[in-house]
Amino acid sequence: MRILLLPHGRSGSTSLHFALSDVLNLDKIIEPFNKDLWNNYYKDEPTYQGGDIPNNTIIKNLVGQNDGWVKEYVNQFDKIILLVRDNIRDTIISAQNADVYGYINPYTPTEKITPKMMTYISKLYSLLFNFSEVLTSDLVWYEDIFNNYDLSKETIQSLDLNINDEQFDMMWDKYLNPKHRLRK
C-alpha cells in the first residue's frame, strides 16, 4: 500500500502520519522535500528523494513543498488523504508560536499573529483546497480526529484502510487523544 498524506502545516499531520504508519505497518517518509527539516533537525538526507513511490509507505508531504512532485506521482498512490484544520486562526497561532518554541514542543501561545503569517497560511489553505478539487482523495478535518473519541473513530474508519477497533484504540491512546496536543 502507498498512502500520500497531504496536509498544510500545523494540522496534526505528524501525529496522523505516525499513527497510520504504526497500525498499518507502513514505512514513514517524512516531508522529503522540506530542506529546513532535513538540514536543521534530522541533519541527514531524506530516505526518499523522488522517483517512483516505494511499496509499503506512507509519505507526508506538506502542501506547497513540492506540488509538482504531487501532480507527477499522484497516480502511484493507493490512497490520498488531505488534512486540514477548520480553524484557520488556530493554525496561524500554532505556526507563529512554532517559529519560537519549535515544531514538536509543547507551548503556551504567546506570540502575536503577524500579517506575514496570515498571508502564508492563507496561501497554504488555498493550495490544499485547489488539490481537493482535482485529486481523488479523502478530505479529513483536524477537528474530526483530534477532539472526540467517537467522531475520531468514525472518521478514521471512513478512510477504508481496514483499521479495526483495537488498532484505532491504539491510535487514539498514543496519537489522536487531545491530551497529546502541543498547545497547552
Side-chain angles (χ1 to χ4, degrees):
M1 174 170 282
R2 297 175 186 110
I3 298 175
L4 173 62
L5 178 58
L6 186 62
H8 61 75
R10 315 312 298 160
S11 63
S13 59
T14 298
S15 295
L16 183 59
H17 188 219
F18 278 61
L20 291 172
S21 171
D22 277 0
V23 299
L24 298 172
N25 197 28
L26 299 173
D27 293 330
K28 290 183 289 293
I29 297 177
I30 301 168
E31 299 181 38
F33 308 108
N34 183 343
K35 290 181 171 113
D36 288 337
L37 176 71
W38 287 95
N39 291 338
N40 300 323
Y41 181 74
Y42 291 117
K43 302 188 186 300
D44 201 354
E45 292 291 320
T47 56
Y48 171 84
Q49 296 184 13
D52 287 340
I53 308 305
N55 285 323
N56 199 44
T57 57
I58 179 169
I59 297 178
K60 175 185 135 183
N61 184 68
L62 296 179
V63 69
Q65 284 185 346
N66 190 338
D67 295 341
W69 170 85
V70 173
K71 292 171 185 171
E72 184 174 349
Y73 290 96
V74 69
N75 292 329
Q76 291 189 21
F77 289 97
D78 302 302
K79 174 67 78 173
I80 301 165
I81 302 168
L82 305 179
L83 180 61
V84 65
R85 196 170 185 165
D86 71 4
N87 189 325
I88 193 170
R89 181 175 183 259
D90 282 349
T91 304
I92 297 167
I93 290 169
S94 181
Q96 197 75 59
N97 282 273
D99 281 348
V100 174
Y101 299 107
Y103 288 87
I104 59 169
N105 300 319
Y107 69 94
T108 301
T110 58
E111 301 306 303
K112 292 183 180 175
I113 292 174
T114 64
K116 182 178 178 181
M117 188 61 76
M118 288 188 292
T119 300
Y120 174 69
I121 296 298
S122 296
K123 188 180 296 183
L124 295 180
Y125 270 70
S126 179
L127 288 170
L128 190 63
F129 290 138
N130 286 339
F131 271 122
S132 74
E133 291 180 1
V134 297
L135 297 180
T136 302
S137 59
D138 291 285
L139 180 65
V140 177
W141 297 93
Y142 167 95
E143 290 74 9
D144 290 348
I145 58 173
F146 292 104
N147 284 322
N148 170 283
Y149 174 90
D150 292 326
L151 180 56
S152 181
K153 184 176 182 179
E154 177 184 322
T155 302
I156 294 296
Q157 291 181 334
S158 75
L159 297 173
D160 294 324
L161 295 169
N162 297 319
I163 295 173
N164 64 37
D165 291 347
E166 184 180 314
Q167 289 171 311
F168 175 78
D169 286 344
M170 189 283 294
M171 291 174 68
W172 178 260
D173 291 340
K174 193 172 177 183
Y175 299 103
L176 308 180
N177 189 310
K179 70 181 180 183
H180 299 299
R181 284 189 182 150
L182 296 177
R183 183 176 177 171
K184 302 300 176 193

PDB file of all heavy atoms in Angstrom, residues 64-94:
ATOM      1  N   GLY A  64       2.605  22.769  -0.818  1.00  0.00           N
ATOM      2  CA  GLY A  64       3.483  23.899  -1.045  1.00  0.00           C
ATOM      3  C   GLY A  64       4.961  23.548  -1.033  1.00  0.00           C
ATOM      4  O   GLY A  64       5.791  24.356  -1.416  1.00  0.00           O
ATOM      5  N   GLN A  65       5.309  22.342  -0.602  1.00  0.00           N
ATOM      6  CA  GLN A  65       6.730  21.968  -0.554  1.00  0.00           C
ATOM      7  C   GLN A  65       7.241  21.461  -1.894  1.00  0.00           C
ATOM      8  O   GLN A  65       8.376  21.713  -2.251  1.00  0.00           O
ATOM      9  CB  GLN A  65       6.989  20.931   0.534  1.00  0.00           C
ATOM     10  CG  GLN A  65       6.990  21.543   1.902  1.00  0.00           C
ATOM     11  CD  GLN A  65       7.364  20.571   2.991  1.00  0.00           C
ATOM     12  OE1 GLN A  65       7.390  19.367   2.800  1.00  0.00           O
ATOM     13  NE2 GLN A  65       7.633  21.108   4.157  1.00  0.00           N
ATOM     14  N   ASN A  66       6.441  20.705  -2.594  1.00  0.00           N
ATOM     15  CA  ASN A  66       6.814  20.260  -3.933  1.00  0.00           C
ATOM     16  C   ASN A  66       5.543  19.793  -4.636  1.00  0.00           C
ATOM     17  O   ASN A  66       5.335  18.608  -4.866  1.00  0.00           O
ATOM     18  CB  ASN A  66       7.848  19.127  -3.876  1.00  0.00           C
ATOM     19  CG  ASN A  66       8.438  18.815  -5.235  1.00  0.00           C
ATOM     20  OD1 ASN A  66       7.845  19.118  -6.266  1.00  0.00           O
ATOM     21  ND2 ASN A  66       9.608  18.193  -5.239  1.00  0.00           N
ATOM     22  N   ASP A  67       4.708  20.755  -4.978  1.00  0.00           N
ATOM     23  CA  ASP A  67       3.415  20.436  -5.577  1.00  0.00           C
ATOM     24  C   ASP A  67       3.558  19.813  -6.960  1.00  0.00           C
ATOM     25  O   ASP A  67       2.712  19.037  -7.388  1.00  0.00           O
ATOM     26  CB  ASP A  67       2.524  21.671  -5.621  1.00  0.00           C
ATOM     27  CG  ASP A  67       2.152  22.158  -4.222  1.00  0.00           C
ATOM     28  OD1 ASP A  67       2.271  21.365  -3.265  1.00  0.00           O
ATOM     29  OD2 ASP A  67       1.765  23.334  -4.082  1.00  0.00           O
ATOM     30  N   GLY A  68       4.634  20.129  -7.658  1.00  0.00           N
ATOM     31  CA  GLY A  68       4.888  19.498  -8.955  1.00  0.00           C
ATOM     32  C   GLY A  68       5.102  18.003  -8.805  1.00  0.00           C
ATOM     33  O   GLY A  68       4.610  17.210  -9.623  1.00  0.00           O
ATOM     34  N   TRP A  69       5.807  17.598  -7.749  1.00  0.00           N
ATOM     35  CA  TRP A  69       6.009  16.176  -7.471  1.00  0.00           C
ATOM     36  C   TRP A  69       4.662  15.497  -7.203  1.00  0.00           C
ATOM     37  O   TRP A  69       4.404  14.398  -7.700  1.00  0.00           O
ATOM     38  CB  TRP A  69       6.957  15.997  -6.277  1.00  0.00           C
ATOM     39  CG  TRP A  69       7.027  14.601  -5.777  1.00  0.00           C
ATOM     40  CD1 TRP A  69       7.825  13.599  -6.255  1.00  0.00           C
ATOM     41  CD2 TRP A  69       6.264  14.021  -4.714  1.00  0.00           C
ATOM     42  NE1 TRP A  69       7.606  12.437  -5.547  1.00  0.00           N
ATOM     43  CE2 TRP A  69       6.649  12.680  -4.591  1.00  0.00           C
ATOM     44  CE3 TRP A  69       5.290  14.517  -3.845  1.00  0.00           C
ATOM     45  CZ2 TRP A  69       6.100  11.824  -3.652  1.00  0.00           C
ATOM     46  CZ3 TRP A  69       4.737  13.665  -2.901  1.00  0.00           C
ATOM     47  CH2 TRP A  69       5.146  12.338  -2.818  1.00  0.00           C
ATOM     48  N   VAL A  70       3.799  16.152  -6.418  1.00  0.00           N
ATOM     49  CA  VAL A  70       2.478  15.591  -6.125  1.00  0.00           C
ATOM     50  C   VAL A  70       1.734  15.332  -7.431  1.00  0.00           C
ATOM     51  O   VAL A  70       1.207  14.235  -7.653  1.00  0.00           O
ATOM     52  CB  VAL A  70       1.649  16.517  -5.205  1.00  0.00           C
ATOM     53  CG1 VAL A  70       0.222  16.006  -5.060  1.00  0.00           C
ATOM     54  CG2 VAL A  70       2.310  16.670  -3.840  1.00  0.00           C
ATOM     55  N   LYS A  71       1.701  16.312  -8.286  1.00  0.00           N
ATOM     56  CA  LYS A  71       0.979  16.182  -9.557  1.00  0.00           C
ATOM     57  C   LYS A  71       1.573  15.077 -10.437  1.00  0.00           C
ATOM     58  O   LYS A  71       0.848  14.354 -11.112  1.00  0.00           O
ATOM     59  CB  LYS A  71       0.983  17.515 -10.310  1.00  0.00           C
ATOM     60  CG  LYS A  71       0.157  18.579  -9.610  1.00  0.00           C
ATOM     61  CD  LYS A  71       0.340  19.938 -10.249  1.00  0.00           C
ATOM     62  CE  LYS A  71      -0.398  20.997  -9.447  1.00  0.00           C
ATOM     63  NZ  LYS A  71      -0.085  22.347  -9.906  1.00  0.00           N
ATOM     64  N   GLU A  72       2.894  14.925 -10.413  1.00  0.00           N
ATOM     65  CA  GLU A  72       3.547  13.926 -11.249  1.00  0.00           C
ATOM     66  C   GLU A  72       3.346  12.504 -10.740  1.00  0.00           C
ATOM     67  O   GLU A  72       3.186  11.576 -11.532  1.00  0.00           O
ATOM     68  CB  GLU A  72       5.047  14.218 -11.338  1.00  0.00           C
ATOM     69  CG  GLU A  72       5.786  13.289 -12.275  1.00  0.00           C
ATOM     70  CD  GLU A  72       7.243  13.677 -12.471  1.00  0.00           C
ATOM     71  OE1 GLU A  72       7.650  14.786 -12.059  1.00  0.00           O
ATOM     72  OE2 GLU A  72       7.987  12.858 -13.052  1.00  0.00           O
ATOM     73  N   TYR A  73       3.321  12.319  -9.420  1.00  0.00           N
ATOM     74  CA  TYR A  73       3.306  10.962  -8.860  1.00  0.00           C
ATOM     75  C   TYR A  73       1.991  10.569  -8.183  1.00  0.00           C
ATOM     76  O   TYR A  73       1.874   9.468  -7.658  1.00  0.00           O
ATOM     77  CB  TYR A  73       4.472  10.781  -7.870  1.00  0.00           C
ATOM     78  CG  TYR A  73       5.795  10.756  -8.584  1.00  0.00           C
ATOM     79  CD1 TYR A  73       6.562  11.901  -8.705  1.00  0.00           C
ATOM     80  CD2 TYR A  73       6.248   9.588  -9.193  1.00  0.00           C
ATOM     81  CE1 TYR A  73       7.762  11.891  -9.397  1.00  0.00           C
ATOM     82  CE2 TYR A  73       7.441   9.562  -9.885  1.00  0.00           C
ATOM     83  CZ  TYR A  73       8.194  10.714  -9.983  1.00  0.00           C
ATOM     84  OH  TYR A  73       9.374  10.695 -10.664  1.00  0.00           O
ATOM     85  N   VAL A  74       0.998  11.428  -8.229  1.00  0.00           N
ATOM     86  CA  VAL A  74      -0.257  11.176  -7.528  1.00  0.00           C
ATOM     87  C   VAL A  74      -0.899   9.846  -7.930  1.00  0.00           C
ATOM     88  O   VAL A  74      -1.508   9.162  -7.096  1.00  0.00           O
ATOM     89  CB  VAL A  74      -1.231  12.365  -7.711  1.00  0.00           C
ATOM     90  CG1 VAL A  74      -1.728  12.446  -9.145  1.00  0.00           C
ATOM     91  CG2 VAL A  74      -2.381  12.278  -6.744  1.00  0.00           C
ATOM     92  N   ASN A  75      -0.745   9.441  -9.176  1.00  0.00           N
ATOM     93  CA  ASN A  75      -1.381   8.207  -9.641  1.00  0.00           C
ATOM     94  C   ASN A  75      -0.728   6.937  -9.095  1.00  0.00           C
ATOM     95  O   ASN A  75      -1.279   5.848  -9.258  1.00  0.00           O
ATOM     96  CB  ASN A  75      -1.401   8.168 -11.171  1.00  0.00           C
ATOM     97  CG  ASN A  75      -2.333   9.219 -11.738  1.00  0.00           C
ATOM     98  OD1 ASN A  75      -3.332   9.567 -11.126  1.00  0.00           O
ATOM     99  ND2 ASN A  75      -1.980   9.753 -12.890  1.00  0.00           N
ATOM    100  N   GLN A  76       0.412   7.056  -8.467  1.00  0.00           N
ATOM    101  CA  GLN A  76       1.076   5.890  -7.892  1.00  0.00           C
ATOM    102  C   GLN A  76       0.589   5.566  -6.482  1.00  0.00           C
ATOM    103  O   GLN A  76       0.962   4.548  -5.920  1.00  0.00           O
ATOM    104  CB  GLN A  76       2.596   6.086  -7.885  1.00  0.00           C
ATOM    105  CG  GLN A  76       3.197   6.078  -9.267  1.00  0.00           C
ATOM    106  CD  GLN A  76       4.713   6.063  -9.233  1.00  0.00           C
ATOM    107  OE1 GLN A  76       5.350   5.688  -8.246  1.00  0.00           O
ATOM    108  NE2 GLN A  76       5.318   6.462 -10.341  1.00  0.00           N
ATOM    109  N   PHE A  77      -0.250   6.424  -5.916  1.00  0.00           N
ATOM    110  CA  PHE A  77      -0.733   6.198  -4.546  1.00  0.00           C
ATOM    111  C   PHE A  77      -2.057   5.449  -4.549  1.00  0.00           C
ATOM    112  O   PHE A  77      -2.924   5.701  -5.383  1.00  0.00           O
ATOM    113  CB  PHE A  77      -0.881   7.535  -3.809  1.00  0.00           C
ATOM    114  CG  PHE A  77       0.429   8.180  -3.482  1.00  0.00           C
ATOM    115  CD1 PHE A  77       0.945   9.169  -4.301  1.00  0.00           C
ATOM    116  CD2 PHE A  77       1.159   7.780  -2.375  1.00  0.00           C
ATOM    117  CE1 PHE A  77       2.161   9.763  -4.018  1.00  0.00           C
ATOM    118  CE2 PHE A  77       2.383   8.360  -2.076  1.00  0.00           C
ATOM    119  CZ  PHE A  77       2.883   9.351  -2.902  1.00  0.00           C
ATOM    120  N   ASP A  78      -2.205   4.550  -3.586  1.00  0.00           N
ATOM    121  CA  ASP A  78      -3.457   3.823  -3.405  1.00  0.00           C
ATOM    122  C   ASP A  78      -4.488   4.661  -2.658  1.00  0.00           C
ATOM    123  O   ASP A  78      -5.687   4.472  -2.821  1.00  0.00           O
ATOM    124  CB  ASP A  78      -3.200   2.525  -2.615  1.00  0.00           C
ATOM    125  CG  ASP A  78      -2.191   1.642  -3.301  1.00  0.00           C
ATOM    126  OD1 ASP A  78      -2.428   1.269  -4.463  1.00  0.00           O
ATOM    127  OD2 ASP A  78      -1.148   1.345  -2.684  1.00  0.00           O
ATOM    128  N   LYS A  79      -3.995   5.572  -1.827  1.00  0.00           N
ATOM    129  CA  LYS A  79      -4.879   6.399  -1.003  1.00  0.00           C
ATOM    130  C   LYS A  79      -4.227   7.764  -0.827  1.00  0.00           C
ATOM    131  O   LYS A  79      -3.024   7.852  -0.578  1.00  0.00           O
ATOM    132  CB  LYS A  79      -5.096   5.735   0.353  1.00  0.00           C
ATOM    133  CG  LYS A  79      -5.868   6.539   1.377  1.00  0.00           C
ATOM    134  CD  LYS A  79      -7.314   6.757   1.032  1.00  0.00           C
ATOM    135  CE  LYS A  79      -8.173   5.564   1.310  1.00  0.00           C
ATOM    136  NZ  LYS A  79      -9.599   5.845   1.130  1.00  0.00           N
ATOM    137  N   ILE A  80      -5.036   8.810  -0.964  1.00  0.00           N
ATOM    138  CA  ILE A  80      -4.575  10.175  -0.738  1.00  0.00           C
ATOM    139  C   ILE A  80      -5.468  10.786   0.334  1.00  0.00           C
ATOM    140  O   ILE A  80      -6.699  10.746   0.225  1.00  0.00           O
ATOM    141  CB  ILE A  80      -4.649  11.017  -2.016  1.00  0.00           C
ATOM    142  CG1 ILE A  80      -3.781  10.384  -3.104  1.00  0.00           C
ATOM    143  CG2 ILE A  80      -4.204  12.461  -1.741  1.00  0.00           C
ATOM    144  CD1 ILE A  80      -4.047  10.921  -4.482  1.00  0.00           C
ATOM    145  N   ILE A  81      -4.826  11.322   1.358  1.00  0.00           N
ATOM    146  CA  ILE A  81      -5.556  11.950   2.461  1.00  0.00           C
ATOM    147  C   ILE A  81      -5.126  13.407   2.545  1.00  0.00           C
ATOM    148  O   ILE A  81      -3.946  13.704   2.755  1.00  0.00           O
ATOM    149  CB  ILE A  81      -5.270  11.242   3.801  1.00  0.00           C
ATOM    150  CG1 ILE A  81      -5.640   9.761   3.721  1.00  0.00           C
ATOM    151  CG2 ILE A  81      -6.010  11.940   4.944  1.00  0.00           C
ATOM    152  CD1 ILE A  81      -5.139   8.927   4.886  1.00  0.00           C
ATOM    153  N   LEU A  82      -6.070  14.310   2.363  1.00  0.00           N
ATOM    154  CA  LEU A  82      -5.831  15.736   2.572  1.00  0.00           C
ATOM    155  C   LEU A  82      -6.263  16.052   3.995  1.00  0.00           C
ATOM    156  O   LEU A  82      -7.369  15.704   4.399  1.00  0.00           O
ATOM    157  CB  LEU A  82      -6.635  16.574   1.590  1.00  0.00           C
ATOM    158  CG  LEU A  82      -6.461  16.264   0.102  1.00  0.00           C
ATOM    159  CD1 LEU A  82      -7.357  17.163  -0.736  1.00  0.00           C
ATOM    160  CD2 LEU A  82      -5.021  16.407  -0.317  1.00  0.00           C
ATOM    161  N   LEU A  83      -5.396  16.695   4.750  1.00  0.00           N
ATOM    162  CA  LEU A  83      -5.692  17.012   6.147  1.00  0.00           C
ATOM    163  C   LEU A  83      -5.699  18.525   6.318  1.00  0.00           C
ATOM    164  O   LEU A  83      -4.732  19.200   5.953  1.00  0.00           O
ATOM    165  CB  LEU A  83      -4.645  16.374   7.067  1.00  0.00           C
ATOM    166  CG  LEU A  83      -4.801  16.598   8.561  1.00  0.00           C
ATOM    167  CD1 LEU A  83      -6.127  16.029   9.076  1.00  0.00           C
ATOM    168  CD2 LEU A  83      -3.619  15.988   9.315  1.00  0.00           C
ATOM    169  N   VAL A  84      -6.789  19.037   6.874  1.00  0.00           N
ATOM    170  CA  VAL A  84      -6.944  20.481   7.040  1.00  0.00           C
ATOM    171  C   VAL A  84      -7.552  20.783   8.406  1.00  0.00           C
ATOM    172  O   VAL A  84      -8.382  20.029   8.912  1.00  0.00           O
ATOM    173  CB  VAL A  84      -7.811  21.080   5.897  1.00  0.00           C
ATOM    174  CG1 VAL A  84      -9.223  20.562   5.933  1.00  0.00           C
ATOM    175  CG2 VAL A  84      -7.779  22.594   5.912  1.00  0.00           C
ATOM    176  N   ARG A  85      -7.105  21.866   8.968  1.00  0.00           N
ATOM    177  CA  ARG A  85      -7.649  22.340  10.243  1.00  0.00           C
ATOM    178  C   ARG A  85      -8.728  23.363   9.912  1.00  0.00           C
ATOM    179  O   ARG A  85      -8.469  24.316   9.170  1.00  0.00           O
ATOM    180  CB  ARG A  85      -6.502  22.989  11.023  1.00  0.00           C
ATOM    181  CG  ARG A  85      -6.746  23.203  12.465  1.00  0.00           C
ATOM    182  CD  ARG A  85      -5.429  23.608  13.129  1.00  0.00           C
ATOM    183  NE  ARG A  85      -5.586  23.718  14.554  1.00  0.00           N
ATOM    184  CZ  ARG A  85      -4.569  23.761  15.393  1.00  0.00           C
ATOM    185  NH1 ARG A  85      -3.330  23.695  14.948  1.00  0.00           N
ATOM    186  NH2 ARG A  85      -4.786  23.863  16.685  1.00  0.00           N
ATOM    187  N   ASP A  86      -9.931  23.184  10.460  1.00  0.00           N
ATOM    188  CA  ASP A  86     -11.005  24.089  10.041  1.00  0.00           C
ATOM    189  C   ASP A  86     -10.894  25.468  10.679  1.00  0.00           C
ATOM    190  O   ASP A  86     -11.459  26.427  10.182  1.00  0.00           O
ATOM    191  CB  ASP A  86     -12.398  23.483  10.225  1.00  0.00           C
ATOM    192  CG  ASP A  86     -12.866  23.344  11.661  1.00  0.00           C
ATOM    193  OD1 ASP A  86     -12.169  23.770  12.583  1.00  0.00           O
ATOM    194  OD2 ASP A  86     -13.958  22.779  11.853  1.00  0.00           O
ATOM    195  N   ASN A  87     -10.134  25.593  11.741  1.00  0.00           N
ATOM    196  CA  ASN A  87      -9.978  26.890  12.383  1.00  0.00           C
ATOM    197  C   ASN A  87      -8.653  27.511  11.932  1.00  0.00           C
ATOM    198  O   ASN A  87      -7.591  27.225  12.481  1.00  0.00           O
ATOM    199  CB  ASN A  87     -10.017  26.736  13.903  1.00  0.00           C
ATOM    200  CG  ASN A  87     -10.068  28.058  14.617  1.00  0.00           C
ATOM    201  OD1 ASN A  87      -9.472  29.043  14.182  1.00  0.00           O
ATOM    202  ND2 ASN A  87     -10.776  28.091  15.736  1.00  0.00           N
ATOM    203  N   ILE A  88      -8.731  28.365  10.930  1.00  0.00           N
ATOM    204  CA  ILE A  88      -7.514  28.960  10.367  1.00  0.00           C
ATOM    205  C   ILE A  88      -6.795  29.836  11.394  1.00  0.00           C
ATOM    206  O   ILE A  88      -5.570  29.906  11.411  1.00  0.00           O
ATOM    207  CB  ILE A  88      -7.810  29.737   9.061  1.00  0.00           C
ATOM    208  CG1 ILE A  88      -6.509  30.069   8.327  1.00  0.00           C
ATOM    209  CG2 ILE A  88      -8.661  30.952   9.327  1.00  0.00           C
ATOM    210  CD1 ILE A  88      -6.709  30.605   6.922  1.00  0.00           C
ATOM    211  N   ARG A  89      -7.548  30.445  12.276  1.00  0.00           N
ATOM    212  CA  ARG A  89      -6.915  31.269  13.326  1.00  0.00           C
ATOM    213  C   ARG A  89      -6.021  30.417  14.205  1.00  0.00           C
ATOM    214  O   ARG A  89      -4.887  30.803  14.514  1.00  0.00           O
ATOM    215  CB  ARG A  89      -7.986  31.970  14.153  1.00  0.00           C
ATOM    216  CG  ARG A  89      -7.417  32.862  15.240  1.00  0.00           C
ATOM    217  CD  ARG A  89      -8.540  33.628  15.952  1.00  0.00           C
ATOM    218  NE  ARG A  89      -8.005  34.529  16.934  1.00  0.00           N
ATOM    219  CZ  ARG A  89      -7.981  34.260  18.225  1.00  0.00           C
ATOM    220  NH1 ARG A  89      -8.476  33.126  18.696  1.00  0.00           N
ATOM    221  NH2 ARG A  89      -7.480  35.133  19.073  1.00  0.00           N
ATOM    222  N   ASP A  90      -6.495  29.240  14.614  1.00  0.00           N
ATOM    223  CA  ASP A  90      -5.669  28.345  15.432  1.00  0.00           C
ATOM    224  C   ASP A  90      -4.440  27.868  14.664  1.00  0.00           C
ATOM    225  O   ASP A  90      -3.366  27.689  15.242  1.00  0.00           O
ATOM    226  CB  ASP A  90      -6.481  27.137  15.909  1.00  0.00           C
ATOM    227  CG  ASP A  90      -7.398  27.471  17.073  1.00  0.00           C
ATOM    228  OD1 ASP A  90      -7.271  28.568  17.652  1.00  0.00           O
ATOM    229  OD2 ASP A  90      -8.250  26.627  17.405  1.00  0.00           O
ATOM    230  N   THR A  91      -4.590  27.668  13.365  1.00  0.00           N
ATOM    231  CA  THR A  91      -3.452  27.277  12.541  1.00  0.00           C
ATOM    232  C   THR A  91      -2.398  28.387  12.536  1.00  0.00           C
ATOM    233  O   THR A  91      -1.203  28.123  12.694  1.00  0.00           O
ATOM    234  CB  THR A  91      -3.904  26.986  11.096  1.00  0.00           C
ATOM    235  OG1 THR A  91      -4.927  25.999  11.111  1.00  0.00           O
ATOM    236  CG2 THR A  91      -2.740  26.494  10.247  1.00  0.00           C
ATOM    237  N   ILE A  92      -2.833  29.609  12.376  1.00  0.00           N
ATOM    238  CA  ILE A  92      -1.901  30.738  12.353  1.00  0.00           C
ATOM    239  C   ILE A  92      -1.221  30.892  13.704  1.00  0.00           C
ATOM    240  O   ILE A  92       0.004  31.077  13.774  1.00  0.00           O
ATOM    241  CB  ILE A  92      -2.633  32.039  11.932  1.00  0.00           C
ATOM    242  CG1 ILE A  92      -3.172  31.910  10.510  1.00  0.00           C
ATOM    243  CG2 ILE A  92      -1.708  33.244  12.066  1.00  0.00           C
ATOM    244  CD1 ILE A  92      -4.167  32.996  10.123  1.00  0.00           C
ATOM    245  N   ILE A  93      -1.982  30.788  14.790  1.00  0.00           N
ATOM    246  CA  ILE A  93      -1.394  30.882  16.139  1.00  0.00           C
ATOM    247  C   ILE A  93      -0.361  29.782  16.331  1.00  0.00           C
ATOM    248  O   ILE A  93       0.742  30.022  16.838  1.00  0.00           O
ATOM    249  CB  ILE A  93      -2.498  30.804  17.220  1.00  0.00           C
ATOM    250  CG1 ILE A  93      -3.341  32.081  17.203  1.00  0.00           C
ATOM    251  CG2 ILE A  93      -1.896  30.557  18.599  1.00  0.00           C
ATOM    252  CD1 ILE A  93      -4.613  32.004  18.039  1.00  0.00           C
ATOM    253  N   SER A  94      -0.695  28.583  15.934  1.00  0.00           N
ATOM    254  CA  SER A  94       0.233  27.460  16.079  1.00  0.00           C
ATOM    255  C   SER A  94       1.510  27.693  15.277  1.00  0.00           C
ATOM    256  O   SER A  94       2.618  27.470  15.771  1.00  0.00           O
ATOM    257  CB  SER A  94      -0.456  26.168  15.639  1.00  0.00           C
ATOM    258  OG  SER A  94       0.417  25.072  15.782  1.00  0.00           O
TER     259      SER A  94
END
